[in-house]
Amino acid sequence: MAPRTIEDLIARKPARRRSEVPADVLKALNAGQIESRNLVEWLVIDQVKLLKAILPEIGLDDDRTQKSLLKTARGLREAGVMQRSTGIGAAFFAALNEAEDSAAIYDRMATHPSDVVRIWAAFSDGANPRLTFPQRLKRVRKFAVDANAGVREIAWMCVRSPAPDALIDEVHRLQKWTVDSHPFVRRFAIEVTRPCGVWCAHLKRLKDDPTPMIELLDACNSDEAKYVQDSVANWLNDASKSQPDWVRKTCDRWQSESPTPQTARIVHRALRTLRK
């Protein structure tokens, strides 16, 4: 049988278990030729091998820089996958800070065929302490609308982790995101502000008082996209664990003001913890 082409590998059905990832798929993933299709494939990628493969092609071919990045990656091999990704992203921020053509290198990373490389680019922004909150939002948008679900999940983490207070103090900057024509943008505005969230630190201020986010939530309380509906429902479900009365009142108001199937679906999912 002839070896599969890259086009064949891109069109593959993703593996359900790590042991089921074919050798040619793993090789292409580690070479940065294709992106992962699900969490299973993402977890089997050897980020050291991937890093070694892509550094020359993105323009970071300085020997000292390569050794530094690879040393960081090797040092994180036993860490969790999120720690590896954030650590390598931070190392890229340092490397790009010294590179003469950093903007071009960053653009190659942000548009790379490998979703992991795009994730490193997003985390390099997350590691930049000089970015203002508006700058973070501007730079993260391309990752928020990425076709790969894993990159979209990383996108909101890269804003939430370095700027948790700005999410609340400057929430008005997210208002226009909730009325954007792209459902991924609307979903980002909700997901980035979830009181608890997944794989991230909780926002204690919102667990204590979720009211600063009500305009964002109201804007999406009858969204046509199930992807956005699920995020809104999950937001309220988070809040119900610390502010159950507030969530009940919000759901009651929505059902009165917006008697749509979309709102009904959101409310039903939002109250799942309180029904137990």
Side-chain angles (χ1 to χ4, degrees), residues 142-158:
K142 58 184 170 294
F143 302 116
V145 299
D146 197 281
N148 185 281
V151 177
R152 296 197 299 274
E153 288 306 304
I154 293 303
W156 62 261
M157 294 183 197
C158 292

Side-chain angles (χ1 to χ4, degrees), residues 154-196:
I154 293 303
W156 62 261
M157 294 183 197
C158 292
V159 171
R160 180 186 176 106
S161 295
D165 288 323
L167 287 172
I168 303 168
D169 298 334
E170 302 182 53
V171 65
H172 62 279
R173 301 187 188 280
L174 285 168
Q175 201 64 45
K176 64 181 180 181
W177 288 54
T178 62
V179 294
D180 194 276
S181 61
H182 202 310
F184 291 177
V185 174
R186 303 196 300 274
R187 191 258 186 180
F188 175 93
I190 303 300
E191 200 69 18
V192 73
T193 60
R194 280 178 60 180
C196 300

